[in-house]
Amino acid sequence: MEEGLLSKRSKYVYNILLEEEGLASNLAEAGKKVVKLNRGDPAVYFKTPKYMIDAYVKALRSNQTYYSRAEGAKTLINAVIKRYKEFYGLALSEDSIITTEGVSEALYFINSSLINTGDMAVIFRPYYNQYMTTLELHGGRPIFADYDERNMWAVDLDALRKSLKSARSNGQIKRVKYMLVTNPNNPTGTVLSRRILSGLADIANEYGIFLISDEIYDEIIFNGAKFTSISEVAKGMPYAILNGASKNFDATGFRIGFIIIPEHDRLSSELKSKMSDYARMRLSVNTPAQYAVAEGISNSKEHAKAIKEMVSEIEKRINSSVRILRENEYLDVVRPNGAFYIFPHIDIKSLKFRNDKGFVEGLLKEKLLQTARGSGFGSPAHFRIVSLATESILTDSMKKINEFCIKHAR
Ligand SMILES: Cc1ncc(COP(=O)(O)O)c(C=O)c1O
């Protein structure tokens, strides 16, 4: 075994969000109480709605514990079809939807089916870290486009056009397999405008790039923002939507996601059929969880109540956290209007830290606050705070962040 046991590509497998886990558990073992502001898991703070738990138990009690249809139980697929019709006026057929073990598995399927070694994908920075690891694990490389922090984290369409134009002139464009946008965004909490999304659809169309929109937070919208699904602006062109039960349905541990490919052009049909092969290769997704999510979606009255309560709490928690952080002269914070993250810029030069990693480590050791460094999302000199804990925990934590910065000012 001269080459070593592990594959070369396995070096890309890494989860930045769990990077400080060792240090955090050492602190916990030493009797310290670490506040975890690093994982975007709503089910830790808001209980998964009871009507969904009841549906899960009912599925178990009626022995729905067998392999489901590989692409997803029909009950769930039909619930998703109804949701997209009601929400976005989108007409989906049964074969347009593949159920996955969370969006995480959807990312695997997509990269494994599209990416040959040396192929590329347009990734917007800051990105959800799993986009990069799954792309690189499959031998792909990113073409980065930046969300513009000075412009409320909107996409700079001109800069994107410019980089694709140069990829076209140097012949790389043929290897660009997809463009992946996150709306609302993790880690910035930004909801993209309809104008930006239309611009992205036009650019993807012009360059013949398959457009993917990760809309896993599409109901967690606040501060007066209006959400536009890519399906409202990308009609008639190849595209896919990623979504699931983890965030809107507050059921991260159910592990249910969807790949939705609405159109019937050659690229869309080819990918749909391959996604079905992938689903069949791993037989099934958790069957009782699918029935629970089907009920989660179909019982629109219960869902509307649950999501309204959760989003209004998140809005309060985000806004009060941002208010406190804005008193801090070493941080710049764009106020989020979706998801549940805050992604402050750190004025590293004015603090006694070399980089965001040092900042995040210091915050954990001294103030017992576990956050995630921005460089893990492709944006150094930032850090990500998950704003899901109770308002009193968050208020206390934000004050500690401010004290920490003052203490370490140059
Ligand atoms: C933008 C985004 N996509 C996908 C995921 C993964 O979701 P799932 O639980 O469905 O695998 C997350 C989780 O935080 C996310 O923030």
Side-chain angles (χ1 to χ4, degrees):
M1 232 187 297
E2 271 181 19
E3 289 273 303
L5 178 65
L6 300 175
S7 71
K8 289 202 178 75
R9 64 178 181 275
S10 69
K11 74 171 187 235
Y12 293 110
V13 178
Y14 186 68
N15 191 343
I16 167 78
L17 302 178
L18 305 181
E19 190 175 62
E20 306 293 344
E21 219 55 14
L23 178 53
S25 49
N26 290 346
L27 288 165
E29 272 164 32
K32 307 263 167 71
K33 185 153 178 22
V34 174
V35 176
K36 292 191 166 282
L37 304 172
N38 62 317
R39 287 188 94 174
D41 190 345
V44 173
Y45 304 95
F46 302 93
K47 285 199 185 107
T48 304
K50 182 172 176 305
Y51 79 102
M52 288 175 65
I53 303 287
D54 290 345
Y56 204 130
V57 171
K58 188 175 160 213
L60 288 173
R61 294 219 184 278
S62 29
N63 302 316
Q64 286 172 308
T65 52
Y66 38 77
Y67 289 137
S68 76
R69 175 175 167 270
E71 296 87 347
K74 288 270 179 100
T75 313
L76 176 57
I77 299 290
N78 287 324
V80 175
I81 290 176
K82 203 164 143 269
R83 177 186 193 266
Y84 275 85
K85 184 80 192 158
E86 279 170 18
F87 277 36
Y88 306 118
L90 182 65
L92 292 170
S93 52
E94 269 179 12
D95 71 341
S96 309
I97 303 160
I98 306 286
T99 305
T100 54
E101 197 184 323
V103 167
S104 304
E105 190 185 47
L107 292 168
Y108 258 81
F109 283 9
I110 285 170
N111 281 288
S112 170
S113 60
L114 297 182
I115 297 293
N116 289 311
T117 303
D119 282 348
M120 284 176 282
V122 178
I123 302 286
F124 295 90
R125 263 189 312 211
Y127 46 74
Y128 172 54
N129 57 307
Q130 227 174 317
Y131 298 164
M132 276 296 289
T133 45
T134 32
L135 173 65
E136 291 186 315
L137 178 62
H138 289 91
R141 295 177 283 146
I143 291 191
F144 286 123
D146 288 318
Y147 296 112
D148 183 0
E149 188 166 15
R150 284 157 310 169
N151 188 17
M152 306 289 286
W153 292 113
V155 176
D156 184 342
L157 294 173
D158 291 335
L160 174 62
R161 255 200 198 92
K162 221 189 231 163
S163 67
L164 290 177
K165 211 163 156 187
S166 100
R168 182 183 268 166
S169 62
N170 66 26
Q172 283 185 332
I173 201 76
K174 290 194 290 290
R175 305 209 67 172
V176 181
K177 290 293 186 67
Y178 66 81
M179 184 187 291
L180 175 50
V181 68
T182 326
N183 182 34
N185 186 274
N186 174 4
T188 65
T190 306
V191 179
L192 291 172
S193 71
R194 193 179 183 100
R195 184 185 70 79
I196 294 288
L197 290 165
S198 298
L200 285 178
D202 288 346
I203 293 172
N205 213 8
E206 181 185 339
Y207 286 89
I209 301 172
F210 196 92
L211 181 58
I212 303 170
S213 182
D214 181 345
E215 300 182 356
I216 193 165
Y217 301 94
D218 68 349
E219 290 185 66
I220 306 179
I221 310 288
F222 45 86
N223 285 336
K226 163 126 184 48
F227 175 78
T228 304
S229 165
I230 202 71
S231 60
E232 297 173 83
V233 298
K235 293 188 171 64
M237 60 176 274
Y239 73 95
I241 299 171
L242 307 180
N243 209 330
S246 287
K247 317 289 173 165
N248 296 326
F249 293 90
D250 191 11
T252 43
F254 283 21
R255 308 309 301 130
I256 299 292
F258 314 108
I259 305 174
I260 301 171
I261 307 175
E263 297 287 339
H264 304 282
D265 53 85
R266 187 181 58 80
L267 287 183
S268 297
S269 302
E270 218 176 317
L271 187 58
K272 257 188 283 209
S273 149
K274 192 41 73 183
M275 291 300 94
S276 165
D277 290 339
Y278 271 84
R280 289 173 184 200
M281 190 175 77
R282 59 82 170 106
L283 310 178
S284 173
V285 168
N286 180 326
T287 302
Q290 290 185 68
Y291 286 102
V293 175
E295 175 63 13
I297 299 173
S298 306
N299 192 337
S300 42
K301 210 170 127 208
E302 285 292 337
H303 176 60
K305 208 166 83 191
I307 189 83
K308 195 165 163 235
E309 270 171 31
M310 186 169 81
V311 172
S312 92
E313 263 310 308
I314 289 171
E315 181 178 44
K316 268 201 275 177
R317 293 174 196 196
I318 285 271
N319 289 346
S320 65
S321 300
V322 168
R323 225 173 290 126
I324 299 168
L325 292 175
R326 281 191 170 160
E327 292 165 8
N328 185 330
E329 64 179 293
Y330 304 101
L331 301 179
D332 272 314
V333 192
V334 176
R335 192 176 72 155
N337 46 9
F340 33 66
Y341 306 102
I342 305 175
F343 197 58
H345 174 263
I346 314 164
D347 179 4
I348 288 284
K349 280 209 279 314
S350 304
L351 296 174
K352 289 182 201 139
F353 295 105
R354 267 218 317 219
N355 50 33
D356 51 334
K357 188 169 166 54
F359 180 92
V360 160
E361 266 175 20
L363 198 55
L364 176 55
K365 282 187 197 147
E366 279 179 42
K367 296 289 182 188
L368 304 176
L369 299 177
Q370 192 175 358
T371 57
R373 64 184 161 101
S375 43
F377 302 88
S379 293
H382 289 80
F383 71 117
R384 193 191 75 169
I385 300 164
V386 175
S387 207
L388 284 172
T390 60
E391 212 171 337
S392 73
I393 292 177
L394 284 169
T395 300
D396 186 51
S397 304
M398 299 309 118
K399 285 184 180 159
K400 284 184 177 158
I401 291 173
N402 290 355
E403 286 163 15
F404 176 76
C405 289
I406 291 168
K407 181 176 168 209
H408 293 280
R410 274 190 204 281

